[in-house]
Amino acid sequence: MCGRFVLFTSGQDLIDEVAGLDGITIVEAPDGTPPPRYNIAPTQPVPLVRIDGPTAHLNPARWGLLPSWKKDETGPPLFNARGETIAEKPSFRSAFKSRRGLMVLNGYYEWLQRDGVKQPFYVRPAEGMLYAAALWETGLDKLSVTMVTTDATENMAWLHHRLPLFLREDEIRTWVSGSPEEALALVHPSRVADRLEWSEAAQEVGNVRNDYAELISAN
C-alpha cells in the first residue's frame, strides 16, 4: 500500500515532466502546481494527471476517492484501491470504467517493523519519476483520486506485500484511454519496481505535520 508520498518536483519542472510523456503536446494546469512536498498524506490535495488525446490536464484532487454515492467525507479515506478488485468493487468500478488517470511521485514511504520499532523507508526510482495508476471521481462536487495497488514484486516484498501500480511510459496511454479489459491486463506486479531503490527515512515522517526535505533521509 501507499499512505505517504513525496513530490518535490514542482512548477515548470513538473509541467515539463508531464509534457515529456509519449503523445502529450499540451499540458493544462490552470491552478498551477503544488509547492514541493515531502510528507503527503491521505485527504490532502495532490496533482492528478488526466489525459485526453494530446492534452494532459493537471489539477489538484483530494487523495481519497469520493464516489458519486458518498453523502459526506466521513469514513476511512479510499486512498488505495486493490487492482485485483477494481472492476467489481462498488467503490471503484464506475471510475475504473471511464475515469482512469495518473498520480505522479518522486518517491513514497513504507514502514517496516524491526526490533520492536517501526522504521520508515523512502522508496524512489533510480532515475526519473514514478507514475502510479489512479482512478478519479467528482463526488460531492470535488475532484478526488485513489492510487491503484497490486501484489509486491519479489524485490520489494520484504518491505510490504503490496505495491503501487507504477506504469511504464509505454503503458500509460493504455491505462488512461484503453478499454477496461486492456487496462485490467496491466494490473500485475509492476515491472517498474525493478528500478526502485530505498533507504531509511527519518522517524519524524510519522507525524503528518512534518513536511521538509530532511525527512527522506535518516542521516
Side-chain angles (χ1 to χ4, degrees), residues 97-174:
K97 287 180 182 178
S98 58
R99 292 182 291 280
R100 299 186 296 270
L102 305 169
M103 293 175 68
V104 60
L105 300 72
N106 289 111
Y108 70 99
Y109 298 106
E110 195 61 80
W111 278 258
L112 179 69
Q113 189 75 27
R114 189 174 64 184
D115 300 327
V117 177
K118 291 182 70 174
Q119 174 61 50
F121 283 79
Y122 177 54
V123 183
R124 71 279 183 188
E127 60 181 14
M129 299 186 70
L130 295 167
Y131 284 89
L135 309 175
W136 58 273
E137 281 277 15
T138 55
L140 300 179
D141 295 323
K142 290 186 177 182
L143 189 59
S144 61
V145 65
T146 188
M147 186 183 296
V148 179
T149 68
T150 69
D151 286 334
T153 51
E154 184 176 352
N155 69 314
M156 296 302 300
W158 66 275
L159 184 57
H160 198 278
H161 68 284
R162 300 294 292 178
L163 186 73
L165 176 53
F166 294 124
L167 299 170
R168 299 184 320 200
E169 186 168 347
D170 63 351
E171 296 174 324
I172 287 175
R173 186 69 62 168
T174 299

Side-chain angles (χ1 to χ4, degrees), residues 48 50 59-62 64-73 91 94-96 98-100 135-146:
L48 166 65
R50 295 175 293 170
N59 302 101
R62 176 190 189 266
L65 203 68
L66 296 171
S68 59
W69 46 263
K70 285 277 286 183
K71 293 181 171 57
D72 53 46
E73 296 184 25
S91 296
S94 177
F96 174 68
S98 58
R99 292 182 291 280
R100 299 186 296 270
L135 309 175
W136 58 273
E137 281 277 15
T138 55
L140 300 179
D141 295 323
K142 290 186 177 182
L143 189 59
S144 61
V145 65
T146 188

Side-chain angles (χ1 to χ4, degrees), residues 73-89:
E73 296 184 25
T74 59
L78 302 173
F79 59 91
N80 284 165
R82 290 181 64 92
E84 297 86 349
T85 57
I86 51 176
E88 295 87 23
K89 196 167 184 179

